[in-house]
Amino acid sequence: MPVLDTKDILETIQMIQDDCLDVRTTTMGISLLDCACEDMDRTCQKVYDKVCRLAKDLVRTGEEIQRQYGIPIINKRIAVTPIAMVAGPSGGDPVKLARALQRAADSLGVNFIGGYSALVQKGFSPGDMALIRSIPEALAVTENICASVNVGSTKAGINMDAVALMGQMVRECAERTADRDCIAAAKLVVLCNAPEDNPFMAGAFHGPGEPDCEINVGVSGPGVVRAVLAKHPDASISELADIIKRTAFKITRMGQLVGSEASRRLGVPFGIVDLSLAPTPAVGDSVARILEEMGLESCGGCGTTACLALLNDAVKKGGVMASSRVGGLSGAFIPVSEDEGMIAAAASGALCIEKLEAMTAVCSVGLDMIVLPGDTTAEVIAALIADEAAIGMVNSKTTAVRVIPAIGRKEGDTLEFGGLLGSGPVMRISRCSPARFIRRGGQIPAPMQSLKN
């Protein structure tokens, strides 16, 4: 790693102090495959014991690195083996494992544990089905557990039976926590082409191809990119791309430092740096404001998709030059409720769901933290999931849907989640029914792009 000179160090300090630069998360991935057994209670105890043993120093180590280097580390998280794989051998109630993971989160002081998950892009096992149907209860009775289901991939196609089921589960999650602003739905994401090393919630899980334990880092710096672009109001588009690449390089270097140091102190392998620009509701820490700094009157107007494509590509190019361990999702997130500029654009009517869907073809992930009217049907939610999965499948990229039906609310109302989840205006969605299509079931075949081997 090249030595940083004084100018680089001072510039990074300024980014932290003035432009909301931070390490969004250090996420420890833990394999639970060796915890599975035929007795569910015994499995739960083994899961609790292993997670607490391996992650006992995770929070303390993050705090020590933050103090030593002055780098804010916002979240300390854990991702575990998809719980459907762990629960399957026992045939018991998967919610017991959710409760065991919540006890571990309470003991360790971590922000989230991800991995209450199932991978069903090509079909269901009994354990997969049991876990998926348990998601609404599991997320309603826990505070720090996140769930995800992968329903499609470029290699396998899209499991439309799973898509239909997830439309029901998303709605049930919202209904079960209607008295808490439907928070359970905000902890559930439905994916296509899910990566196995993603440190960002709610889609994080520790893939079966990963080592027994590792540390992954997710960096974030939309405020930094916006501030740098503001200094070059007359730059050409190609010059903007170069500016973003240089900035992403510096941001990723910081993540590389934190990951390497956390790996050394915890005694576990360093996995990846995910260099995604993850916004927050804080003013100045917005991906939407980056796009507007490029020259748009408002995020959501014509030109938004082109600007986002430029941003996403430049971030990745700058990041891969800074580290050989770039992975996860890596790009620009567009979660509506978590991005101050997106919230403003949606509230003003400049940003609609149809435009967001177009943006997901070129961004990192997909339709994220979007609040829907409370009477949105399960079939409409399922069709939204199918649309996003199709974009991911055909374009060989990760896409996802995390939407929150605001039970009892209508277009123009607002849900307040608090913290990094922010707040979201209830957005308009087409009421044309896709029910006949969704009820057909079956599998959307894999596209020609799948035949690469």
Side-chain angles (χ1 to χ4, degrees):
M1 182 184 295
V3 177
L4 296 175
D5 62 23
T6 303
K7 180 181 178 183
D8 291 326
I9 295 171
L10 292 174
E11 186 176 25
T12 301
I13 292 171
Q14 181 183 2
M15 290 176 179
I16 292 170
Q17 291 178 341
D18 300 337
D19 302 321
C20 304
L21 177 61
D22 59 55
V23 168
R24 186 55 46 86
T25 178
T26 52
T27 301
M28 177 175 282
I30 299 175
S31 173
L32 301 180
L33 291 174
D34 57 346
C35 297
C37 61
E38 294 183 357
D39 179 80
M40 177 57 81
D41 292 334
R42 177 63 179 148
T43 299
C44 290
Q45 189 60 50
K46 291 172 72 174
V47 164
Y48 175 84
D49 291 343
K50 183 171 185 180
V51 171
C52 289
R53 173 172 56 84
L54 291 178
K56 66 182 187 301
D57 296 323
L58 177 63
V59 172
R60 178 181 58 79
T61 298
E63 292 171 347
E64 289 175 353
I65 293 172
Q66 180 171 312
R67 285 194 298 269
Q68 180 174 346
Y69 292 99
I71 298 171
I73 301 175
I74 307 302
N75 286 295
K76 293 84 178 175
R77 300 168 172 170
I78 295 169
V80 299
T81 302
I83 290 298
M85 296 180 179
V86 183
S90 75
D93 182 4
V95 176
K96 289 186 175 181
L97 280 165
R99 292 183 183 275
L101 290 171
Q102 181 62 53
R103 292 199 303 274
D106 293 338
S107 298
L108 297 167
V110 297
N111 303 97
F112 288 109
I113 296 183
Y116 199 79
S117 308
L119 312 179
V120 295
Q121 56 269 23
K122 212 167 183 178
F124 304 96
S125 70
D128 294 327
M129 186 62 76
L131 181 127
I132 291 172
R133 292 195 178 279
S134 76
I135 286 173
E137 180 183 355
L139 297 187
V141 301
T142 60
E143 296 292 329
N144 305 95
I145 306 307
C146 291
S148 60
V149 177
N150 192 70
V151 298
S153 72
T154 300
K155 284 289 186 183
I158 301 171
N159 181 349
M160 289 300 294
D161 294 316
V163 168
L165 182 57
M166 289 313 300
Q168 299 170 26
M169 294 303 102
V170 169
R171 181 158 182 89
E172 190 174 333
C173 280
E175 290 171 345
R176 281 179 175 252
T177 53
D179 59 336
R180 288 177 279 159
D181 281 324
C182 309
I183 187 64
K187 298 186 291 178
L188 170 62
V189 62
V190 187
L191 295 137
C192 177
N193 287 322
E196 296 190 359
D197 56 2
N198 167 27
F200 284 106
M201 302 296 167
F205 63 86
H206 188 67
E210 298 293 307
D212 191 58
C213 185
E214 66 182 349
I215 192 77
N216 298 319
V217 172
V219 298
S220 181
V224 174
V225 175
R226 184 208 57 77
V228 172
L229 293 183
K231 297 175 183 177
H232 300 84
D234 300 319
S236 69
I237 290 175
S238 56
E239 289 169 340
L240 289 182
D242 288 337
I243 292 166
I244 295 169
K245 282 189 288 186
R246 290 195 296 270
T247 305
F249 179 93
K250 296 171 184 176
I251 294 170
T252 307
R253 274 302 200 209
M254 184 186 72
Q256 174 86 15
L257 168 65
V258 170
S260 299
E261 189 65 16
S263 170
R264 183 184 67 81
R265 296 187 187 203
L266 292 168
V268 300
F270 177 22
I272 57 96
V273 178
D274 187 316
L275 53 100
S276 293
L277 299 180
T280 72
V283 174
D285 199 25
S286 161
V287 169
R289 299 304 186 196
I290 297 175
L291 306 181
E292 291 167 0
E293 197 64 57
M294 291 181 181
L296 301 178
E297 179 180 353
S298 174
C299 176
C302 295
T304 298
T305 306
C307 287
L308 184 58
L310 183 155
L311 173 64
N312 215 49
D313 179 68
V315 165
K316 291 181 178 181
K317 287 175 177 174
V320 297
M321 290 297 292
S323 173
S324 60
R325 294 182 176 271
V326 171
L329 298 166
S330 292
F333 287 168
I334 52 170
V336 175
S337 81
E338 299 176 15
D339 185 305
E340 170 268 327
M342 295 277 178
I343 295 169
S348 71
L351 183 63
C352 63
I353 289 177
E354 290 79 10
K355 187 60 177 179
L356 282 163
E357 183 177 304
M359 294 164 67
T360 64
V362 299
C363 78
S364 180
V365 201
L367 295 171
D368 196 11
M369 290 302 292
I370 295 171
V371 183
L372 303 178
D375 59 354
T376 304
T377 66
E379 290 84 4
V380 168
I381 297 170
L384 199 62
I385 293 169
D387 285 343
E388 269 307 292
I391 290 173
M393 176 186 71
V394 171
N395 291 288
S396 302
K397 72 182 292 289
T398 302
T399 51
V401 172
R402 182 166 50 150
V403 294
I404 304 94
I407 306 302
R409 314 286 181 91
K410 61 183 185 303
E411 184 182 341
D413 292 340
T414 300
L415 283 189
E416 296 284 349
F417 304 110
L420 288 177
L421 295 179
S423 64
V426 180
M427 300 182 70
R428 184 196 63 82
I429 188 168
S430 173
R431 301 306 178 97
C432 298
S433 176
R436 284 187 59 227
F437 170 62
I438 294 300
R439 290 169 187 164
R440 289 179 182 273
Q443 188 92 359
I444 293 181
M448 284 296 294
Q449 293 91 315
S450 67
L451 301 177
K452 292 184 177 180
N453 51 339

